[in-house]
Amino acid sequence: MSDVTGDLAAVSEAKGGSDAARISEVKAWLTSQFEAAGKEVPNFEYTHRSITHLYNLATASQAKSQAATIVANDFRLKASEYRAQAARIREILESAGMSQESLPSNVVSSAQVLANVANLLNIRDTELSSFLVAMGDISLRKTGVEEKRAKAQKESNALLDYTRKAIQRLTYLKKILAQLEDDVVPCESQMENWKTNLEVMAVKEEQYIQQYKKYEQMLLNRVGYTPKISHRELVEMAEHRKELDKMTKPVLDTLRSYQDLPPDKALAALAIEDKKRQFAASEKYLEEVLQSALETNNE
């Protein structure tokens, strides 16, 4: 206790007068509580936080103790009043010759049962109206309980139905999972086969692409196409061809006119040879023009 007093004094000097009042109240409360238990107040560190907590605890404890004292005093007062009333009723019953000893055993048992029922129904008298009101209250509570029970039963049935469906669904999913696990091995072998075929097809595709490019290049080389040929050069060659067509058109017209030659065979042969020489000269000129155009593109 000396250590506790010293710590309380130190905290009191540090925090001032307001804390000193709290410390004294805390000290008195601790002393009363531990003395009631037959023990001494233990030593512990007194800080502002601990003093505040203990003060709040002491305040709450004192308030509850006062409330309990008031309730206990009230119960004692009511008990004394009930005992006095019971004594008066006993005197009245004895004066009327209706004491408990003079009553038959079945009447005493019935009265005891009536009292027990009244205590069970939490009523203070044995009037018929009180019993009816209490029974009505119990009936209402019973109805409420039955409604809650019916609602709970309905919810339970719904949950049971959901659980049953969930179990069925789980069983179905397990079955599907087992089937998929059984199909894993053959599917893996099939996938490996497809993978090998895809690799072979990829190699073949690359080979076919290379062959197609080579064939395309050969075809372009055969017709005299080179990457250097542009659209402008193609247009120029088309214009040269038109000019050559214009130059060869009279020759062709002349050749067509030979169809009307006289039947003189010698003159017709000479005319034909002359036209052949003109056609050969025109064709040679066309070849020279095309060759010069190609050589110009190659350069």
Side-chain angles (χ1 to χ4, degrees), residues 110-146:
S110 299
Q112 189 64 38
V113 171
L114 187 61
N116 293 333
V117 173
N119 291 328
L120 182 63
L121 297 176
N122 196 20
I123 56 178
R124 297 184 178 182
D125 54 43
T126 56
E127 295 291 336
L128 180 60
S129 59
S130 300
F131 278 98
L132 292 177
V133 171
M135 292 299 295
D137 182 61
I138 290 178
S139 298
L140 292 175
R141 287 160 57 184
K142 180 182 177 183
T143 303
V145 170
E146 289 177 351

Side-chain angles (χ1 to χ4, degrees), residues 63-77:
K64 289 184 179 295
S65 297
Q66 291 177 0
T69 302
I70 293 172
V71 173
N73 293 332
D74 182 63
F75 285 162
R76 291 190 187 95
L77 179 60

Side-chain angles (χ1 to χ4, degrees), residues 235-254:
V235 172
E236 291 179 355
M237 292 177 67
E239 291 178 354
H240 283 298
R241 182 178 178 180
K242 288 180 180 180
E243 292 177 358
L244 293 175
D245 289 338
K246 289 181 181 180
M247 293 173 63
T248 56
K249 185 177 180 181
V251 177
L252 293 174
D253 293 339
T254 304

Side-chain angles (χ1 to χ4, degrees), residues 228 294-299:
K228 295 182 180 180
L294 292 173
E295 291 176 356
T296 302
N297 293 330
N298 293 329
E299 293 176 357

Side-chain angles (χ1 to χ4, degrees), residues 20-184:
R22 289 188 174 186
I23 291 170
S24 61
E25 293 182 9
V26 168
K27 178 183 176 182
W29 179 73
L30 288 173
T31 303
S32 62
Q33 296 298 319
F34 279 92
E35 286 180 353
K39 296 181 180 180
E40 294 184 357
V41 180
N43 296 327
F44 59 91
E45 184 180 359
Y46 285 87
T47 61
H48 177 71
R49 182 177 179 182
S50 63
I51 291 299
T52 303
H53 181 71
L54 288 173
Y55 177 77
N56 294 332
L57 187 61
T59 303
S61 177
Q62 291 172 0
K64 289 184 179 295
S65 297
Q66 291 177 0
T69 302
I70 293 172
V71 173
N73 293 332
D74 182 63
F75 285 162
R76 291 190 187 95
L77 179 60
K78 289 181 178 179
S80 62
E81 291 178 354
Y82 290 155
R83 282 194 294 270
Q85 185 176 3
R88 289 194 298 271
I89 293 175
R90 187 179 297 108
E91 291 177 358
I92 294 172
L93 291 175
E94 289 177 354
S95 62
M98 297 178 63
S99 62
Q100 183 176 354
E101 292 77 6
S102 61
L103 292 175
S105 59
N106 58 349
V107 175
V108 175
S109 300
S110 299
Q112 189 64 38
V113 171
L114 187 61
N116 293 333
V117 173
N119 291 328
L120 182 63
L121 297 176
N122 196 20
I123 56 178
R124 297 184 178 182
D125 54 43
T126 56
E127 295 291 336
L128 180 60
S129 59
S130 300
F131 278 98
L132 292 177
V133 171
M135 292 299 295
D137 182 61
I138 290 178
S139 298
L140 292 175
R141 287 160 57 184
K142 180 182 177 183
T143 303
V145 170
E146 289 177 351
E147 291 177 355
K148 291 181 180 180
R149 181 180 179 182
K151 183 178 179 182
Q153 185 68 28
K154 184 178 179 181
E155 293 176 355
S156 177
N157 292 334
L159 291 175
L160 183 62
D161 188 28
Y162 292 154
T163 304
R164 189 181 298 108
K165 291 180 180 178
I167 292 174
Q168 293 177 356
R169 188 66 176 176
L170 179 61
T171 305
Y172 174 74
L173 291 176
K174 286 182 178 180
K175 183 178 179 181
I176 296 297
L177 179 60
Q179 293 178 356
L180 292 176
E181 289 177 350
D182 294 337
D183 295 340
V184 167

Side-chain angles (χ1 to χ4, degrees), residues 190-207:
Q190 189 175 5
M191 288 178 64
E192 290 295 332
N193 188 17
W194 289 349
K195 185 178 179 180
T196 304
N197 294 336
L198 286 174
E199 292 176 354
V200 174
M201 292 177 65
V203 174
K204 290 291 184 181
E205 181 184 8
E206 186 67 23
Q207 182 179 356

